[in-house]
């Protein structure tokens, strides 16, 4: 029985995630699962071991699923193995191509994984039934050829006919009381088939030809059965003579009818799935349009709010700055401290608004990457100059160890902003006497490292640092506050350059941020003027 055997399923898909999901689902259903990532690997596996069923992706590099299926059908042992094509294509031509390539059936993406094991078992049972039918027919044909079971002979001129015992059994007649004759035979033929049977046999006699056909018979208990009769013409003692075999094919006919119903059912399923996929595709298109409209509305709203906030904030900051620095009517020490704190908060809000606008423009493609050829050492020196006052205030030392002959093809403004953001973060989390180093690590080629020996980062926060949706801003060693947008914005800038930004940190020992760009960013002849 099928349930007592662990069937081997070969999964062929270039998508590692899809292989993992299908493998996990089928293993839970007690299937043995093997998997390969492309067509050539599938063919090599098949030559070593023939699985019980193959789940074969259509869209693959090197060799698509149609070609793999067709090739397997030509290999020893591949003639009848069930092959399920897994496809995202939902047009009729692709479905027809799948069957022309020899596919047993197909599964469309997205796959309903809870139903996958049932679909595999269904196809295995159907294929096993078809295989059993073929074996039964082959054994029956071989037995007829050797034993001449169900043979008959007829000499019309002498009204002489002979039936073997098997024919009597098929007709449910008593050999002793009911003699073989053409009339007896014709009385058993179904009335709707009788005229065709007579014309076929008489035609063979007249044309001295062979014949074979299927027809129905009615037994004494009104039971209807199907038989296959075949015969050939000959001469005996100068008289025309027919001889041949007769086989009960009732079960075969029943199976053929069941297979026809199965095929019709599959065709109905194909039509149903095609209609469902078409409807789903329409819904996805509409949902995508709605999502794009909602996203555009969100971006517009954020932009309008940010712009509307920036102008009054600038006025408030100017007034606070005037009050804070007014020497004619100076504030007392307590009020001076309060106004100074308000200025810090206001500047932080202005920076946050700028970061929000920049992130929105960069993600929407409205901010372009203006590439130019720069000296990295000079870029670091400029950042050190910009932040020297802040570093001196906290007693933090900045050391540039970048080679003077290292050149990059980048957007100088945006790249400089990333380096400056990482540096200001390092100063923020350092205490007096600690240091920040800029260097090129040997273990990471084409990479700039910004390293501090400050307070470090908790392991649970490292994965959230570059996620704009996570609130990770932490007060500095002097209580400095941040917006939480700097690192996500920096990552977006480096990714727009085709590079990556990451951090290694140990709590209490410091952090090292790495900026790595692709190889072409280090070659002058690949530097272009602008890039979206």
């Amino acid at each position: 029985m099928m349930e007592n055997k662990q069937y081997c399923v070969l999964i062929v898909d270039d998508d590692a995630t899809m292989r993992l999901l299908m493998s996990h689902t089928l293993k839970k259903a007690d299937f043995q699962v093997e998997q390969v990532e492309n067509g050539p690997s599938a063919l090599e596996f098949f030559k070593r071991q023939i699985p019980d069923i193959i789940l074969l992706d259509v869209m693959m590099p090197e060799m698509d699923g149609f070609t793999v299926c067709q090739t397997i059908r030509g290999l020893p042992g591949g003639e009848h193995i069930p092959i399920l094509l897994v496809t995202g294509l939902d047009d009729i031509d692709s479905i027809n191509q799948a069957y022309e390539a020899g596919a047993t059936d197909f599964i469309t993406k997205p796959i309903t994984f809870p139903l996958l094991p049932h679909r595999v078992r269904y196809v295995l049972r159907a294929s096993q039934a078809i295989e059993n039918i073929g074996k039964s027919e082959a054994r029956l044909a071989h037995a007829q050829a050797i034993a001449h079971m169900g043979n008959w002979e007829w000499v019309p001129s002498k009204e002489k006919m002979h039936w073997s015992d098997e024919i009597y059994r098929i007709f449910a007649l008593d050999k002793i009381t009911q003699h073989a004759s053409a009339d007896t035979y014709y009385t058993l033929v179904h009335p709707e088939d009788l005229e065709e049977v007579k014309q076929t046999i008489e035609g063979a006699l007249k044309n001295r030809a062979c014949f074979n056909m299927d027809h129905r018979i009615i037994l004494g208990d009104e039971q209807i059965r199907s038989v296959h009769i075949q015969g050939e013409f000959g001469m005996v003692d100068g008289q025309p003579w027919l001889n041949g075999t007769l086989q009960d094919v009732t079960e075969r006919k029943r199976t053929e009818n069941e297979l026809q119903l199965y095929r019709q059912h599959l065709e109905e399923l194909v039509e149903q799935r095609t209609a469902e996929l078409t409807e789903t595709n329409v819904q996805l298109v509409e949902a995508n349009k709605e999502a794009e409209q909602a996203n555009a509305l969100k971006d517009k709203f954020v932009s309008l709010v940010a712009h509307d906030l920036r102008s009054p904030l600038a006025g408030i900051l100017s007034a606070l700055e005037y009050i804070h620095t007014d020497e004619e009517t100076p504030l007392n020490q307590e009020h001076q401290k309060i106004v100074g704190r308000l200025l810090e908060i206001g500047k932080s809000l202005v920076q946050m608004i700028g970061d929000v606008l920049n992130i929105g423009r960069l993600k929407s493609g409205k901010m372009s990457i203006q590439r130019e050829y720069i000296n990295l050492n000079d870029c670091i020196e400029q950042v050190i100059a910009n932040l020297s006052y802040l570093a001196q205030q906290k007693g933090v030392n900045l050391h540039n160890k970048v080679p003077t002959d290292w050149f990059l093809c980048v957007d100088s403004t945006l790249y400089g902003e990333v380096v400056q953001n990482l540096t200001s973060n390092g100063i923020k989390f350092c205490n007096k006497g600690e240091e920040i180093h800029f260097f090129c690590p040997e273990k990471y080629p084409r990479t700039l490292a910004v390293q501090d020996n400050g307070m470090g980062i908790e392991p649970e926060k490292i994965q959230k640092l570059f996620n704009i949706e996570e609130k990770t801003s932490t007060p500095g060693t002097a209580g400095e506050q941040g917006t939480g947008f700097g690192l996500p914005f920096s990552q977006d800038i480096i990714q727009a350059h085709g590079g990556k930004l990451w951090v290694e940190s140990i709590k209490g020992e410091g952090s090292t941020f790495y900026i790595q760009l692709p190889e072409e960013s280090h070659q002058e002849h690949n530097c272009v003027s602008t890039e979206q």
Side-chain angles (χ1 to χ4, degrees):
M1 292 294 291
M2 183 173 176
E3 288 73 17
N4 296 332
K5 176 183 177 182
Q6 187 180 43
Y7 284 78
C8 176
V9 181
L10 174 61
I11 298 174
V12 186
D13 199 314
D14 62 322
D15 187 332
T17 301
M18 187 60 67
R19 293 199 308 271
L20 177 64
L21 291 173
M22 288 195 290
S23 176
H24 177 72
T25 302
L26 292 174
K27 283 181 178 179
K28 284 179 62 179
D30 201 33
F31 285 92
Q32 176 190 344
V33 179
E34 303 288 344
Q35 48 179 293
V36 295
E37 62 184 4
N38 54 45
S41 298
L43 297 178
E44 289 297 322
F45 180 94
F46 190 88
K47 292 175 183 177
R48 297 192 309 269
Q49 175 185 344
I50 298 178
D52 296 298
I53 188 170
I54 299 174
L55 298 184
L56 176 60
D57 186 35
V58 170
M59 304 302 292
M60 293 187 296
E62 298 184 52
M63 183 184 294
D64 62 32
F66 300 128
T67 305
V68 176
C69 180
Q70 198 167 22
T71 304
I72 288 176
R73 289 302 185 212
L75 295 176
E79 303 90 340
H80 304 297
I81 184 171
I83 300 177
L84 279 174
L85 285 185
V86 182
T87 175
L89 305 174
D90 59 356
D91 57 286
I92 297 301
D93 290 338
S94 298
I95 294 171
N96 290 336
Q97 188 177 357
Y99 286 121
E100 288 172 3
T104 307
D105 199 357
F106 72 97
I107 301 176
T108 53
K109 295 178 181 178
I111 295 173
T112 305
F113 287 99
L115 298 179
L116 180 60
H118 301 291
R119 188 69 178 274
V120 171
R121 288 193 181 95
Y122 182 74
V123 173
L124 278 169
R125 287 192 182 99
S127 298
Q128 194 174 55
I130 293 172
E131 182 182 357
N132 290 339
I133 290 168
K135 290 179 179 178
S136 296
E137 289 182 347
R139 284 194 295 266
L140 189 56
H142 184 63
Q144 286 181 340
I146 295 176
H148 304 288
M149 294 177 65
N151 64 298
W152 57 270
E153 299 175 3
W154 182 35
V155 181
S157 61
K158 298 182 179 180
E159 297 184 359
K160 181 180 179 181
M161 179 172 279
H162 169 75
W163 293 340
S164 68
D165 292 343
E166 179 64 15
I167 291 183
Y168 279 101
R169 187 195 64 79
I170 292 171
F171 288 161
L173 297 176
D174 184 353
K175 183 177 181 180
I176 299 176
T177 60
Q178 295 170 300
H179 302 291
S181 68
D183 290 338
T184 303
Y185 170 62
Y186 288 144
T187 59
L188 294 169
V189 176
H190 194 287
E192 295 178 4
D193 299 342
L194 181 58
E195 188 61 31
E196 182 183 2
V197 170
K198 286 184 175 181
Q199 289 180 1
T200 299
I201 295 176
E202 291 171 3
L205 284 170
K206 180 179 179 181
N207 300 317
R208 301 190 173 193
C210 299
F211 73 93
N212 69 83
M213 67 180 302
D214 292 343
H215 68 81
R216 292 167 292 174
I217 59 174
I218 302 179
L219 304 184
D221 56 1
E222 300 300 319
Q223 180 184 4
I224 298 177
R225 301 189 68 81
S226 296
V227 296
H228 175 78
I229 184 172
Q230 61 181 17
E232 60 180 10
F233 177 85
M235 298 293 293
V236 175
D237 298 330
Q239 300 296 322
W241 173 70
L242 290 175
N243 78 95
T245 59
L246 186 139
Q247 177 188 358
D248 185 347
V249 293
T250 305
E251 293 304 317
R252 189 195 76 186
K253 285 290 186 180
R254 182 178 295 118
T255 303
E256 288 176 354
N257 290 337
E258 289 176 356
L259 289 175
Q260 180 62 28
L261 291 175
Y262 170 70
R263 180 174 292 276
Q264 290 175 357
H265 177 61
L266 287 180
E267 291 173 353
E268 290 171 0
L269 285 178
V270 169
E271 292 177 1
Q272 179 183 344
R273 289 294 294 155
T274 301
E276 291 174 356
L277 287 170
T278 301
E279 177 63 24
T280 301
N281 187 55
V282 171
Q283 294 174 358
L284 286 174
V285 170
E286 290 299 321
N288 188 53
K289 287 181 180 178
E290 292 177 4
E292 289 177 352
Q293 291 171 356
N295 195 50
L297 184 61
K298 181 263 296 181
D299 291 342
K300 184 176 181 181
F301 174 76
V302 171
S303 180
L304 288 173
V305 171
H307 278 99
D308 289 346
L309 286 175
R310 178 181 280 182
S311 180
L313 269 176
I316 293 171
L317 288 175
S318 296
L320 288 172
E321 189 73 39
Y322 174 78
I323 295 171
H324 192 254
T325 59
D326 187 6
E327 296 180 354
E328 293 184 3
T329 56
L331 300 172
N332 60 46
Q333 188 174 2
E334 182 179 352
H335 288 173
Q336 187 83 0
K337 187 175 181 180
I338 293 172
V339 173
R341 180 58 181 152
L342 290 175
L343 277 170
E344 289 180 8
I345 295 172
K347 290 177 182 179
S348 177
L349 288 174
V350 171
Q351 182 183 349
M352 181 185 297
I353 292 170
D355 288 344
V356 168
L357 289 173
N358 286 335
I359 290 173
R361 287 199 297 268
L362 192 62
K363 286 185 176 295
S364 65
K366 294 179 181 178
M367 179 185 289
S368 60
I369 305 299
Q370 308 291 327
R371 291 185 185 270
E372 60 181 320
Y373 204 50
I374 69 166
N375 183 291
L376 183 57
N377 185 278
D378 292 344
C379 175
I380 303 300
E381 289 297 323
Q382 183 62 50
V383 170
I384 291 175
N386 294 342
L387 298 175
S388 61
Y389 178 74
L390 179 62
Q392 289 171 7
Q393 280 188 319
K394 294 199 68 174
V396 177
N397 300 312
L398 307 179
H399 301 283
N400 182 5
K401 300 179 181 179
V402 173
T404 58
D405 59 349
W406 190 3
F407 296 89
L408 295 177
C409 184
V410 294
D411 186 306
S412 59
T413 302
L414 293 176
Y415 187 85
E417 187 167 346
V418 172
V419 177
Q420 183 158 313
N421 181 51
L422 297 180
T423 307
S424 63
N425 271 355
I427 295 172
K428 175 181 174 182
F429 295 110
C430 281
N431 291 298
K432 184 176 180 179
E434 294 178 338
E435 300 178 335
I436 295 176
H437 296 269
F438 304 87
F439 62 97
C440 310
E442 293 183 3
K443 63 178 180 177
Y444 299 127
R446 307 185 307 280
T447 302
L448 169 66
V450 181
Q451 183 180 70
D452 68 72
N453 57 352
M455 59 191 294
I457 307 168
E458 292 91 344
E460 62 270 15
K461 286 188 177 181
I462 290 180
Q463 298 300 324
K464 302 177 181 179
L465 284 178
F466 303 102
N467 187 351
I468 197 168
E469 293 162 353
E470 296 280 355
K471 184 64 176 176
T472 58
S473 179
T474 302
T477 54
E480 303 99 318
Q481 297 295 325
T483 65
F485 291 134
L487 287 176
F489 182 46
S490 297
Q491 185 184 58
D492 287 340
I493 290 174
I494 298 304
Q495 287 179 346
H497 281 79
K500 62 179 181 177
L501 172 64
W502 75 97
V503 63
E504 295 176 356
S505 182
I506 299 176
K507 181 65 176 175
E509 297 184 15
S511 305
T512 305
F513 284 83
Y514 298 95
I515 308 172
Q516 187 177 72
L517 295 178
E519 185 174 356
E520 57 266 22
S521 296
H522 300 258
Q523 298 175 5
E524 183 175 5
H525 65 272
N526 281 328
C527 187
V528 294
S529 59
T530 61
E531 178 182 298
Q532 282 299 120

